Amino acid sequence: MSKAVGDLGLVGLAVMGQNLILNAADHGFTVVAYNRTQSKVDRFLANEAKGKSIIGATSIEDLVAKLKKPRKIMLLIKAGAPVDILIRELVPHLDKGDIIIDGGNSHFPDTNRRYEELTKQGILFVGSGVSGGEDGARFGPSLMPGGSAEAWPHIKNIFQSIAAKSDGEPCCEWVGPAGSGHYVKMVHNGIEYGDMQLICEAYDIMKRIGRFTDKEISEVFDKWNTGVLDSFLIEITRDILKFDDVDGKPLVEKIMDTAGQKGTGKWTAINALDLGMPVTLIGEAVFSRCLSAIKDERKRASKLLAGPTVPKNAIHDRQQFVYDLEQALYASKIISYAQGFMLIREAARSYGWKLNNPAIALMWRGGCIIRSIFLAEITKAYRDDPDLENLLFNKFFASAVTKAQSGWRRSIALAATYGVPTPAFSTALAFYDGYRSERLPANLLQAQRDYFGAHTFRVLPECASAHLPVDKDIHINWTGHGGNISSSTYQA
Ligand code: NBP
């Protein structure tokens, strides 16, 4: 009979699983490692895990038998069907109150479903976002757990011990119920798409309009990394741009300019549309990858479709040009995070989740791909007011955007003048100008819909009259020959 000595069981010995096990062992926990392909367990025990508080399991039964109660079993396996298969295999061996944690990139509706099913069976289920890649898993990831709240006291110590620390605080807190942990991870990944796209646009403008070399652009990122943009992604961009191939030429310029967009970025954009939230920057970041992917078509179009050419002296003041771009990047980033938190707020409302907003910002401050100085300010904003309606209503961010906006507008105008695409910069500014507009042209849109589809409209209270009553759906016979019947179903 196996002895129940394990604090944590971990299933899945690929890159994330192995590193998280080593991390947990370094923090004094005894981890029981299991993998579908047994040879990987044997290899791991004989190498990286040797001499550490890590024991192997030869079967699901063996794994369960080696864990202290309530058992805590974390899955770090391929998302999708494998998670359902493994849960089905595990459950018959578990007792009520045992805990299954899915640490993979599962889609939150799947986590909602698994949470419901397992709750009925008395098993506590946690869906946890894990970010930071291989290095994060090994030395401190950002962890975003949500699901059965009763599980949190049992896993809190392990999770907060192995998580990254930011100013001494663990980048891990309880997010909320059901699939909310995976939801927050999904939005994190969407924001990551946006941050990367913004950086790419700044690089493209410096290259194509400023005619900077990669080394010069690297120096700009190096400088930016000491200011408000200080972040992991700016830091790695700096290093990528100064990395030469064996022939002394920048390696990045030899890389095919096509990118994929499966998974969490796409899910975030789809969810934003489902919830009716204008998360435009992440949407543009996903579409930019789609545009990059049609390389052959772009190649043909580049020969056929004309645009402005960039003169050699397009930039008169390099310092101002770089300063403006920094402001454009900073302001757009503020908009992207404001949109991300708008989406989280709407999800909480739509799905009936009570979410911990200050903790979400805190969890993203360290360990993960979007870690940055900037997130300290977001954490502060939500700590000062956990129910903050919009990040842009916070004094610090409102004033930061106000200060940044002339450089932001100049950068976008310059790029448009010379035909350099800036989908993320531009959509961020369009959102900002739309958000701060008390009146938008949707009045005309409503009139058009009523004209062709009898879709009705509402009238502004100050314009109400006997034939245009307030708070009533009104249909007008715009042409004199249309009917007076309004549509109750047609949605244009
Ligand atoms: P992978 O996503 O490559 O998954 C490989 C693991 O899944 C192996 O242990 C494999 O076992 C196991 N597996 C598969 Br495939 N089908 C299985 C099944 N039906 N039953 C049991 N096990 C099965 O590993 P990863 O890159 O370490 O990522 C793990 C999770 O963490 C994923 O959900 C991933 O999206 C997420 N994630 C990854 C990163 C990253 O940087 N890689 C970052 C953040 C989150 P086998 O050895 O027997 O084939």
Side-chain angles (χ1 to χ4, degrees), residues 12-16 35-37 40 77-79 82 86 104-105 130 133:
L13 292 189
V15 60
M16 295 301 283
N35 194 66
R36 178 181 60 171
T37 308
K40 287 193 190 165
I77 62 173
K78 197 172 166 186
L86 212 99
N105 267 342
V130 177

Side-chain angles (χ1 to χ4, degrees), residues 34-149:
Y34 174 71
N35 194 66
R36 178 181 60 171
T37 308
Q38 183 63 35
S39 58
K40 287 193 190 165
V41 180
D42 301 336
R43 209 175 318 133
F44 181 56
L45 290 177
N47 294 285
E48 295 88 343
K50 204 170 180 177
K52 297 184 184 282
S53 54
I54 300 168
I55 44 184
T58 52
S59 64
I60 295 272
E61 293 90 320
D62 189 31
L63 165 74
V64 170
K66 284 176 172 161
L67 290 170
K68 291 184 212 161
K69 291 184 185 179
R71 303 177 182 94
K72 301 159 217 55
I73 302 173
M74 184 159 183
L75 315 182
L76 270 165
I77 62 173
K78 197 172 166 186
V83 177
D84 288 314
I85 295 170
L86 212 99
I87 289 176
R88 267 201 300 278
E89 286 174 11
L90 268 171
V91 168
H93 305 281
L94 298 181
D95 294 322
K96 286 196 185 340
D98 283 346
I99 302 162
I100 298 178
I101 306 154
D102 174 16
N105 267 342
S106 293
H107 197 192
F108 78 94
D110 288 336
T111 308
N112 283 340
R113 171 180 54 77
R114 290 169 188 145
Y115 166 79
E116 293 288 330
E117 288 167 3
L118 288 166
T119 301
K120 280 187 206 140
Q121 300 174 67
I123 304 294
L124 305 181
F125 185 61
V126 175
S128 180
V130 177
S131 177
E134 182 177 357
D135 246 36
R138 179 67 185 90
F139 301 109
S142 160
L143 295 170
M144 302 156 236
S148 311

Side-chain angles (χ1 to χ4, degrees), residues 176-195:
S180 60
H182 276 141
Y183 185 88
V184 165
K185 171 68 183 347
M186 175 190 81
V187 177
H188 161 284
N189 283 27
I191 287 178
E192 180 183 311
Y193 268 56
D195 278 0

